[in-house]
């Protein structure tokens, strides 16, 4: 008879292993891990649009910060009568408000644009410089692919905060030209391709005819 305590301990070990994998930065590919594909996102147009959007956002936030503080520059019951010594503090408040809101947006956008993607026979990896900022283990991972993107969702998925989304967290290979080929390689090494395109009708017909001719 199976030991229920042993099963519970095994489940607890699996849970703790997943929790550790979510907090510890992944290791670089080592012995026995072959690199199948590497690439970078083609995001020049997107980077320009995001830069323009960031500058517009920065301008709006600066205007808002100044508009909020301006009534107090001439004196108020809340701020008193400001003098020359108050000017650095006022400027620090304006700059601080802009940075708190705008800096995370810029860091996220910059990280996605500078990312380097790598597919090995075990993992899908996203790099920034010499650091891994995203990892999904291929075996058993749920994968979706489109013409220009491949995304992986797996147990123990590891993501840097700059790559996290408001929706489901995924390791994404964005804006790549050979997405379908990358997805096919990942499927060969254990990923489950959820939205795999069906064979074209003519390919099915040819397959049937080959099967008929062999019988």
């Amino acid at each position: 008879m199976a030991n229920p305590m042993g099963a519970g301990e095994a489940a607890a070990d699996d849970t703790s292993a997943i929790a550790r994998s979510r907090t510890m930065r992944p290791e670089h590919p080592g012995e026995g891990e072959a690199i199948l594909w590497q690439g970078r996102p083609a995001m020049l147009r997107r980077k320009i649009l995001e830069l323009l959007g960031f500058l517009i956002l920065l301008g709006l936030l600066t205007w808002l910060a100044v508009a909020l503080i301006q009534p107090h520059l001439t004196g108020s019951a809340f701020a008193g009568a400001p003098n020359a010594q108050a000017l650095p503090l006022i400027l620090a408040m304006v700059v601080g408000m802009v940075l708190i809101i705008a800096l995370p947006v810029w860091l996220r956008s910059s990280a996605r644009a500078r990312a380097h993607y790598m597919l090995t026979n075990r993992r899908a990896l996203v790099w920034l410089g010499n650091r891994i900022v995203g990892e999904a283990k291929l075996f058993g991972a749920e994968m979706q692919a489109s013409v220009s993107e491949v995304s992986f969702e797996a147990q123990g998925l590891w993501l840097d905060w700059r790559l996290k989304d408001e929706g489901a967290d995924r390791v994404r290979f964005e804006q790549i030209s050979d997405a379908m080929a990358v997805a096919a390689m990942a499927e060969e090494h254990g990923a489950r391709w959820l939205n795999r395109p069906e064979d074209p009708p003519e390919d099915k017909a040819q397959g049937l005819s080959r099967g008929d001719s062999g019988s």
Side-chain angles (χ1 to χ4, degrees):
M1 181 176 179
N3 183 0
M5 291 295 291
E9 290 173 357
D13 290 342
D14 291 342
T15 303
S16 61
I18 292 172
R20 283 195 302 272
S21 68
R22 286 180 176 270
T23 56
M24 296 176 62
R25 186 174 293 275
E27 297 181 354
H28 290 196
E31 186 177 354
E33 188 168 8
I35 298 173
L36 307 176
W37 174 88
Q38 298 184 70
R40 302 185 70 91
M43 290 189 177
L44 179 59
R45 182 182 176 187
R46 176 172 168 177
K47 285 170 69 174
I48 293 174
L49 292 175
E50 288 183 345
L51 178 60
L52 290 174
F54 177 75
L55 292 175
I56 292 172
L57 175 63
L58 192 62
L60 289 174
L61 290 174
T62 303
W63 173 82
L64 178 61
V66 172
L68 289 173
I69 294 173
Q70 189 175 13
H72 304 294
L73 297 179
T74 56
S76 68
F78 172 74
N83 52 34
Q85 295 179 351
L87 184 59
L89 178 60
I90 293 172
L91 290 176
M93 290 173 63
V94 173
V95 173
M97 178 179 175
V98 171
L99 290 180
I100 287 172
I101 299 175
L103 190 58
V105 177
W106 171 252
L107 289 175
R108 287 172 183 267
S109 175
S110 175
R112 281 204 150 93
R114 294 185 295 111
H116 174 82
Y117 306 135
M118 179 183 292
L119 186 76
T120 75
N121 58 337
R122 297 176 183 173
R123 299 179 291 169
L125 302 172
V126 181
W127 296 72
L128 274 182
N130 196 38
R131 292 161 59 90
I132 296 175
V133 293
E135 176 200 55
K137 293 180 173 61
L138 290 185
F139 188 78
E142 295 184 347
M143 176 182 66
Q144 297 190 47
S146 65
V147 176
S148 62
E149 179 177 316
V150 185
S151 64
F152 304 88
E153 185 175 359
Q155 272 198 329
L157 182 78
W158 192 91
L159 279 179
D160 185 271
W161 68 269
R162 289 168 290 184
L163 301 183
K164 287 181 175 289
D165 295 321
E166 293 181 0
D169 288 336
R170 296 173 180 271
V171 167
R172 288 180 169 87
F173 291 177
E174 303 177 90
Q175 300 298 315
I176 56 175
S177 59
D178 44 358
M180 289 299 177
V182 172
M185 285 187 283
E187 186 180 36
E188 290 177 359
H189 290 83
R192 295 191 293 124
W193 195 343
L194 300 183
N195 63 338
R196 194 178 195 281
E198 294 185 1
D199 295 332
E202 59 269 17
D203 290 350
K204 290 183 178 180
Q206 290 173 6
L208 289 173
S209 63
R210 286 196 296 269
D212 294 340
S213 61
S215 59

